[in-house]
Amino acid sequence: MDRDRLYRADAIVLRRRNIGDADSIFTLFAADRGRFDAVARGVRKARSKMRGHLEPLTRVRVLVAKGRSLDILTQAETLEAYRPLRDDLDLGAEALYCAELVDRFTVEANGQHDVFDSFTRVLDALATGAPRHVVRSFELALMALSGFDLQLGACAHCGGSLPGESILLSAPAGGFVCMGCRGQSGGGRLVSRRCAAVLRFARDAPIETFGQVQVDEALARELRAALADVIHHVLDREPSSAQFIDDVRRAPAQLSP
Amino acid sequence: MLRVPEHEAAELASAILDVKQKIRFCSICLNITESDPCSFCRDESRDAGLICVVEQPLDIIALDRAAAFKGRYHVLHGCLNPLEGLGPDQIHVRELLTRVKEGQVREVIMATNPSLEGEATAMYVQRLLSPLGVRVTRLARGLPSGADLEYIDDVTLARALEGRQDL
Ligand SMILES: [Zn+2]
Ligand SMILES: [Zn+2]
């Protein structure tokens, strides 16, 4: 095969769509290529050598042949399978949510080492027992790397200080907004001072450090809701796997009609 | 293009139409069937206390051929796949819950594909059914990860069923 038509990439499998009887199209994210699609022919057959290596949330080394319309996966070898994320439904749901964010926030064929680094670090953290709120740190990092760095230190509108027991987090304004600027903020959600402080720390600290912060259930919910609003605004929709996190958590309660 | 005489084409068309009109979902297990309930659900020699849950109707054919399984089936018509927007309400998991709540079922065997989505579906159903006290088992590991059940060879499939474990 022509060498120029082949490339190698270390990537994380974001998603899979089955086509035909035995093929699948995979969306992968690589540090030096960004997000890209490639097809694996015959991957669903029992004897396919690539099968199992291309499961979503696997870090994999692939050899890809450039195709006319769609690139073709020719080899795949697992680098990290993130087994704990497969054995735990809640962790798996959080990790898939992170994968969906990468899928939605990034573009094809674009060097994105920082996004890849953040993504692998949040998967590593979740797989090694870090609390689930590390995902907030990842959301902030991913948004910042995608041009949506939230202004959390001062009013996003006038640059003034942010006194008071609750602070408005406004997605349209791009961060916190002071009392005087609320009218021009375009709307948002009031968060507690405690939530505001933790959001600042989550943005500035490494993911691993943020994982060591104790966050109670109520605060975890508030942090998640605050950033969910912003992400919804930026993406113009709620990521579908966000609902899934709640679905699996509430599973036993669905017994009541 | 397939060249057929006109009268044959008409016959072919009516045959296809006929198939479409006759085929429906079994009201009990959601298998594809011409008569409702399907032959598996009507068969009194099959143990109604044992339900094997699969993703697709074709999986039933594969399992039944390979595994000498004498219980009943339930077809989810998919698996949980949050990135594709497939949550619990998009697959037929509620109908399974209803069957188990009726009280006859002793064991539910999760035979979803050994893929990330299939495993998540199995864990979800286990979580959903656990308050009802029913035993939920999973086909034994050892099947290659990421595969479609349809393509696993018969021996592997039969062994997997024999080696099932509690979730
Ligand atoms: Zn202001
Ligand atoms: Zn039936």
Side-chain angles (χ1 to χ4, degrees):
Chain A
M1 221 181 291
D2 185 353
R3 285 197 162 270
D4 293 342
R5 298 188 59 79
L6 282 176
Y7 62 88
R8 198 174 286 282
D10 287 358
I12 296 173
V13 183
L14 300 180
R15 56 196 279 198
R16 157 179 51 210
R17 277 146 292 163
N18 291 339
I19 51 165
D21 280 344
D23 303 345
S24 299
I25 295 174
F26 294 89
T27 301
L28 301 103
F29 186 85
D32 52 1
R33 307 190 73 86
R35 172 164 63 70
F36 64 100
D37 283 354
V39 65
R41 304 250 178 246
V43 71
R44 284 148 63 206
K45 288 187 175 157
R47 275 169 301 184
S48 166
K49 286 179 184 163
M50 285 189 283
R51 197 178 61 172
H53 296 284
L54 290 166
E55 288 290 290
L57 303 178
T58 304
R59 191 149 57 79
V60 67
R61 177 160 298 166
V62 289
L63 189 64
V64 189
K66 284 192 181 133
R68 222 168 282 149
S69 57
L70 195 58
D71 290 357
I72 300 156
L73 288 155
T74 63
Q75 285 175 32
E77 180 199 344
T78 301
L79 299 173
E80 171 60 60
Y82 292 116
R83 180 76 196 273
L85 305 181
R86 293 164 209 289
D87 292 347
D88 184 300
L89 190 55
D90 298 298
L91 286 182
E94 296 281 359
L96 282 172
Y97 170 74
C98 294
E100 183 174 359
L101 290 187
V102 172
D103 186 37
R104 294 199 185 281
F105 270 99
T106 63
V107 292
E108 296 192 36
N110 209 347
Q112 292 172 74
H113 294 266
D114 291 341
V115 172
F116 190 82
D117 181 57
S118 283
F119 189 28
T120 51
R121 280 163 69 186
V122 76
L123 294 182
D124 285 343
L126 287 170
T128 54
R132 293 159 63 175
H133 66 251
V134 291
V135 174
R136 306 289 84 79
S137 182
F138 174 69
E139 290 171 327
L140 287 160
L142 183 61
M143 279 195 282
L145 291 167
S146 310
F148 304 98
D149 196 7
L150 292 180
Q151 170 63 267
L152 302 176
C155 173
H157 223 262
C158 70
S161 64
L162 299 160
E165 276 317 295
S166 57
I167 303 172
L168 189 77
L169 177 61
S170 165
F176 289 139
V177 170
C178 77
M179 202 84 83
C181 295
R182 277 184 192 177
Q184 300 120 280
S185 69
R189 168 192 290 263
L190 284 172
V191 302
S192 65
R193 281 208 83 76
R194 194 167 72 125
C195 177
V198 175
L199 280 176
R200 271 182 215 114
F201 187 73
R203 190 198 47 186
D204 297 336
I207 285 174
E208 298 78 9
T209 310
F210 184 58
Q212 284 162 17
V213 175
Q214 295 271 338
V215 169
D216 61 49
E217 192 57 38
L219 180 56
R221 262 200 306 274
E222 190 181 10
L223 291 165
R224 183 181 171 210
L227 291 183
D229 277 0
V230 179
I231 286 166
H232 192 142
H233 177 83
V234 173
L235 295 177
D236 204 23
R237 58 168 292 169
E238 188 193 18
S240 47
S241 48
Q243 178 61 46
F244 187 67
I245 294 172
D246 296 323
D247 283 342
V248 302
R249 192 180 293 169
R250 287 195 212 109
Q254 290 190 348
L255 283 171
S256 40
Chain B
M1 275 293 276
L2 191 65
R3 278 192 170 277
V4 287
E6 206 165 309
H7 68 277
E8 278 182 37
E11 210 171 303
L12 185 67
S14 78
I16 292 168
L17 210 63
D18 204 34
V19 166
K20 269 192 182 155
Q21 281 166 347
K22 272 183 185 163
I23 284 183
R24 68 197 80 184
F25 290 145
C26 172
S27 56
I28 299 169
C29 73
L30 295 144
N31 189 16
I32 286 174
T33 179
E34 286 190 28
S35 57
D36 183 21
C38 74
S39 58
F40 296 107
C41 293
R42 274 200 318 263
D43 184 349
E44 288 298 326
S45 72
R46 287 182 166 267
D47 186 350
L50 197 56
I51 295 181
C52 184
V53 179
V54 297
E55 291 181 19
Q56 302 296 343
L58 280 175
D59 299 335
I60 292 186
I61 297 168
L63 269 167
D64 221 65
R65 185 183 63 216
F69 175 66
K70 287 296 168 217
R72 308 285 173 100
Y73 290 101
H74 186 89
V75 188
L76 295 173
H77 291 277
C79 57
L80 297 175
N81 192 342
L83 269 64
E84 306 303 320
L86 296 176
D89 289 336
Q90 280 72 45
I91 61 174
H92 294 277
V93 73
R94 241 164 224 288
E95 291 87 342
L96 175 65
L97 187 59
T98 307
R99 285 177 80 181
V100 172
K101 271 182 177 171
E102 282 163 6
Q104 259 199 71
V105 181
R106 301 184 313 277
E107 179 178 348
V108 172
I109 305 167
M110 294 305 299
T112 46
N113 287 327
S115 61
L116 176 97
E117 299 88 343
E119 297 288 358
T121 307
M123 286 189 280
Y124 176 81
V125 169
Q126 192 270 336
R127 190 176 282 191
L128 190 68
L129 298 182
S130 61
L132 296 173
V134 64
R135 184 181 180 211
V136 182
T137 55
R138 177 82 173 112
L139 288 191
R141 313 303 155 104
L143 299 177
S145 172
D148 266 22
L149 209 64
E150 200 185 330
Y151 292 105
I152 310 278
D153 69 271
D154 293 358
V155 176
T156 308
L157 208 50
R159 282 188 186 140
L161 193 62
E162 288 158 15
R164 66 181 183 267
Q165 291 167 350
D166 281 312
L167 273 171

